């Protein structure tokens, strides 16, 4: 059922380690609404995932999008980019999950996590830790290459000696701290994420130049219960046409 009218849009805040996380909630009128939480990618913000939150709200969810602490130059949440890692972002996401589950209009037993790129990695980490507390997991072009890139000393626009990572380094306009790279040097992300036993949908484009889709193929094989949908010629960040196709896969997934 689609709820195209009377979608309520509300700002929300919650905290993690005395830092304020800021975002938006979209929801139809009603009680016991299933929860969907959408996480943005590296150097992005909630505006890049707001459309997905609206889509979930139109399908009957209380849907949340937010800025990670230190997650980007345009972030409305607290925190410094030099303190951000995928593991601090996992803590942020868990704080948002706890907040969403505490609301009187939500169904705490029905939580769907969706993440794009690095947000997909973070969503996968949270799902692996929370297990049955997360009903479904949706990953759009998840950045499973992050540990390999750190070990190679080349992460997006940043280059460094992985044996001697500087205290801070720049990735394009964004200043990162040593821990962003150092914290993942010994991480096997696919092994970590595939601990999650629930239902997983992965959508990845075959022309992704940032994260090779073969990472998603490996993840699909490792997960106990995952479906992979490849989008021919899809890139890192889908076009409008590819986005419609991807959301069609999501609709089938949440109905199933």
């Amino acid at each position: 059922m689609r709820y195209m009218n009377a979608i309520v849009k509300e700002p929300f805040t919650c905290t993690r380690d005395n830092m304020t996380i800021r975002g938006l909630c979209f929801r139809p009128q009603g009680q016991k609404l299933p929860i969907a939480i959408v996480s943005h990618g590296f150097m992005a913000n909630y505006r890049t995932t707001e459309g997905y939150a609206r889509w979930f709200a139109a399908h009957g969810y209380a849907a949340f999008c937010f800025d990670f602490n230190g997650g980007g130059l345009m972030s409305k949440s607290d925190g410094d980019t030099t303190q951000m890692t995928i593991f601090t972002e996992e803590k942020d996401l868990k704080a948002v999950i706890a907040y969403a589950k505490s609301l009187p209009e939500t169904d705490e037993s029905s939580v769907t996590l969706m993440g794009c790129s690095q947000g997909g990695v973070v969503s996968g980490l949270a799902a692996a830790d929370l297990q049955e507390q997360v009903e479904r997991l949706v990953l759009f072009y998840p950045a499973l290459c992050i540990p390999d890139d750190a070990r190679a000393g080349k992460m997006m626009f940043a280059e460094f000696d992985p044996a001697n990572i500087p205290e801070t380094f720049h990735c394009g306009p964004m200043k990162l701290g040593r821990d962003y790279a150092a914290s993942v040097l010994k991480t096997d992300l696919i092994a970590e994420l595939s601990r999650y036993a629930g239902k997983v949908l992965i959508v990845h484009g075959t022309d992704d130049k940032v994260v090779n889709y073969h990472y998603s193929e490996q993840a699909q094989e490792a997960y106990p219960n995952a479906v992979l949908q490849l989008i021919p010629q899809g890139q890192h960040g889908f076009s409008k046409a590819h986005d419609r196709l991807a959301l069609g896969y999501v609709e089938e997934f949440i109905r199933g």
Side-chain angles (χ1 to χ4, degrees):
M1 181 181 295
R2 290 178 65 85
Y3 298 77
M4 297 307 295
N5 299 316
I7 297 296
V8 178
K9 173 184 175 181
E10 299 173 320
F12 78 89
T13 63
C14 60
T15 60
R16 190 270 293 175
D17 295 340
N18 297 316
M19 291 184 290
T20 299
I21 300 166
R22 297 176 175 87
L24 293 174
C25 173
F26 299 87
R27 60 179 176 83
Q29 300 289 347
Q31 298 295 315
K32 299 292 285 185
L33 299 172
I35 296 165
I37 300 173
V38 190
S39 295
H40 68 74
F42 177 76
M43 210 159 50
N45 54 59
Y46 78 86
R47 296 171 191 83
T48 62
T49 53
E50 182 177 341
Y52 296 134
R54 289 181 181 273
W55 184 92
F56 273 105
H59 287 76
Y61 285 73
F64 301 80
C65 56
F66 65 99
D67 286 351
F68 287 109
N69 287 317
L73 297 175
M74 303 295 289
S75 176
K76 293 185 179 296
S77 296
D78 291 347
D80 194 289
T81 59
T82 59
Q83 303 300 312
M84 179 272 295
T85 71
I86 61 172
F87 303 108
T88 66
E89 291 196 344
E90 180 191 2
K91 291 179 182 178
D92 293 342
L93 176 54
K94 287 179 176 178
V96 176
I97 294 169
Y99 169 80
K101 290 170 66 174
S102 74
L103 299 176
E105 65 269 17
T106 60
D107 180 358
E108 66 175 10
S109 70
S110 180
V111 176
T112 294
L113 300 183
M114 175 180 172
C116 303
S117 192
Q118 180 168 298
V121 168
V122 173
S123 298
L125 287 170
D129 283 349
L130 297 175
Q131 289 295 335
E132 67 276 1
Q133 295 181 54
V134 175
E135 186 175 21
R136 293 184 184 88
L137 177 63
V138 178
L139 308 177
F140 277 13
Y141 41 89
L144 299 169
C145 60
I146 289 174
D148 284 347
D149 290 353
R151 288 186 280 265
K154 189 171 184 179
M155 305 184 81
M156 295 285 286
F157 313 110
E159 294 190 29
F160 51 83
D161 177 1
N164 188 26
I165 303 170
E167 285 303 308
T168 61
F169 58 95
H170 276 86
C171 187
M174 190 160 154
K175 189 177 182 180
L176 300 173
R178 182 181 185 277
D179 278 352
Y180 181 78
S183 64
V184 296
L185 287 176
K186 297 182 179 179
T187 301
D188 183 339
L189 263 187
I190 291 177
E192 285 296 313
L193 268 61
S194 65
R195 293 186 293 112
Y196 176 61
K199 297 179 180 179
V200 182
L201 170 66
I202 310 171
V203 187
H204 209 134
T206 60
D207 284 3
D208 191 329
K209 300 299 190 295
V210 178
V211 183
N212 193 293
Y213 72 90
H214 293 308
Y215 282 100
S216 285
E217 290 182 324
Q218 294 171 37
Q220 189 272 332
E221 292 177 1
Y223 270 119
N225 190 8
V227 173
L228 171 63
Q229 298 286 2
L230 294 178
I231 295 183
Q233 299 181 317
Q235 299 184 15
H236 198 77
F238 296 141
S239 67
K240 289 184 179 179
H242 289 157
D243 221 27
R244 287 192 295 270
L245 182 59
L247 287 173
Y249 294 139
V250 177
E251 185 162 13
E252 293 176 9
F253 180 65
I254 62 176
R255 285 181 174 177

